[in-house]
Structures are given as C-alpha cells and as structure tokens.
Amino acid sequence: MDFGLKGRKAIVCAASMGLGKASAIALGKEGAELVIVARRREILAQAADDIAAQTGVRPMTVVADVTTPDGRGAIISACPNPDILINNAGGPPAGDFRNFGRDDWIKALDANMIAPIELIKATVDGMMARGFGRIVNVTSHAVKAPVAMLALSNGARTGLTGFIAGLARTTAARNVTINNILPGTFDTDRLKSNLTALAKNTARDVAAVTDEIRDANPTRRFGHPDEFGAVCAFLCSVQAGYMTGQNILVDGGAYPGTF
Ligand code: NAP
C-alpha cells in the first residue's frame, strides 16, 4: 500500500532511539522528509546515519530538548510548515508517588503533556490552512491501565489524552487528524530501565522480572520498535484520514478488556 507520504515533511521528536527512531524509519521508508530531534548530539547523528542507510532519506537533525521553549523554537525554525508531527519524549521516572515533589510533577507535565501541546499549537493552524496534517502523540498503555509505580506518567499522559480528545474534533474538517499511540512493552532502553526499577522496588532479580513480564504477554514476547513505527506511519497515511481522536493500544493484547 502506498501511504501517500512521499515528500511530506515530518518532525519526529525524541527520535535518536527506540520508538521515535522506529517511527522516523517507517516514515522515511514511505518517502517523507524527516526532521529528527533529541538532546544528545552524537547519538542523534548516529541515528541519522542509520535512518539514511535504511530508508535512503537523510534526515535533518535538531539537537533540542522538547521540554524547553528554546528547544521547541529550534524545531519549528528547522521545519516551520510540517505536514506530520510525531510528539514524543522520554518517560518520567518510576517510583512511589510519596517520594515525588512538585518539581517532579512539573518535569513530567513539561515532557509528557505541555511539550506536545505547545508543538501542536505551533503547527496545527498551518496544517489546517494547507488542508493536510497528521499528528501522533506517543503516550503509554498506562493511560488505559494505570501502573501505580508509573504515577508521574499516568497523570501527565492522561492530561494530554483529555486535551487531545477535545482538540481532535476541531481540526478534522480540515483533514488534520490527531491520534495517540499507547505502547505496551517494546524492547527499548526505556523498557529496560522500567524493568530495572520494578526489580529494585520488589527486591527481585532483573532477569526474573524480565522473563515474567515477557511471558505474561499473550504474544510471549516484547514488541519490536519497527512494529510500533509501522502503526505510526499508517496513522500518518492518506488512508487514515477518517481516524481521529483515537487512542490506539499496541501491546500484544496485554490489555484484557473487550474494548
Ligand atoms: P527510549 O528508548 O529511552 O528513547 C527515548 C528517546 O527520547 C531518545 O532518543 C532520547 O534521546 C529522546 N528524548 C528523551 N527526552 C527528550 C527530550 N526532553 N527532548 C528531546 N528528546 C528526548 O524510549 P522509548 O522506549 O522509545 O519510549 C518513548 C516514549 O514511549 C517514552 O515516553 C516512554 O515512556 C513511552 N513508553 C515506552 C514504552 C516501551 O515499552 N518502550 C511503553 C510505554 C510508554 P536524548 O536522551 O538524547 O534526548
């Protein structure tokens, strides 16, 4: 299937590793022009080389922190009129909410709620004026099935989800869709750090915790980031124009509900 993305301009945030990088690769394979963002210059440059090798598309790199106004300004300067915006950032630390203070909450809100809202604010009106836009926010399975240890993530991402539910209905008539993808357990550095935290909190061995979580998934495996990237690219496609305001769970069937 041709997703109709050839020559479309895509900003992919937090794209030097993991799910963001996989999304950039999937969009690059569809012929989108890429602007990829992360804070660490060398890892981002290496990601640009990998993406170019896999897709034939050389991404522009922007070394920026999406949580700061300067960082977001640098992203928009590099790509003032994107057709596609993938909002992503690192996840907040795991832990008991009793140990988190106001600064921890503000950091989580900055990364996982306010940064995406500000980047949408900077780009959505242009997309609506041009009659095409695809915005995808990377959130978490914890939005649908909260994990107590991920208190900061549960709170901040659910705030973003509520905001998107309202906004998405106001942009659809101009062919601008806004959806969230809720990853389950994907084999990335973030997953490894969550499993390490879980092992520490429960005084168990990391290998044992990893086996237990993997085997509890209906697929008996963790997701591959490429599987996430493919869903992201589809949501950006021309064909997905009638899907908006949705929360798409990609978790190997781990969420046990009928809906
Ligand atoms: P990852 O492998 O740790 O990669 C995180 C990426 O984000 C890196 O490229 C990192 O590069 C970049 N980044 C982090 N903070 C940033 C910032 N403030 N500004 C710009 N770039 C930033 O993480 P992942 O597994 O791909 O996860 C992506 C998101 O999905 C996270 O929010 C995570 O919590 C969420 N999630 C993941 C899973 C999973 O199973 N993997 C499950 C549920 C939710 P720099 O550090 O160089 O900036």
Side-chain angles (χ1 to χ4, degrees), residues 149-160:
M149 198 188 73
L150 297 178
L152 294 169
S153 174
N154 300 338
R157 296 186 202 274
T158 304
L160 175 66

Side-chain angles (χ1 to χ4, degrees), residues 195 199 204-215:
L195 291 171
R204 283 188 300 159
D205 183 53
V206 182
V209 169
T210 302
D211 288 349
E212 183 183 297
I213 302 273
R214 189 189 52 234
D215 293 347

Side-chain angles (χ1 to χ4, degrees), residues 91-108:
D96 189 318
F97 89 99
R98 292 168 188 80
N99 298 325
F100 296 132
R102 187 172 192 280
D103 286 351
D104 301 302
W105 281 101
I106 297 296
K107 273 188 201 148

Side-chain angles (χ1 to χ4, degrees), residues 4-37:
L5 297 181
K6 200 161 175 36
R8 292 287 186 192
K9 296 183 184 66
I11 295 172
V12 189
C13 297
S16 65
M17 292 161 55
L19 306 181
K21 182 179 175 186
S23 300
I25 290 169
L27 290 167
K29 284 183 177 168
E30 291 299 317
E33 292 174 18
L34 301 169
V35 174
I36 61 169
V37 181

Side-chain angles (χ1 to χ4, degrees), residues 4 6 20 35-36 39 62 71-72 103 122 125 155-156 201 232 243 249:
K6 200 161 175 36
V35 174
I36 61 169
R39 294 166 303 181
V62 179
R72 293 190 290 270
D103 286 351
D125 289 341
N201 276 5
C232 181
M243 282 181 77
L249 194 56

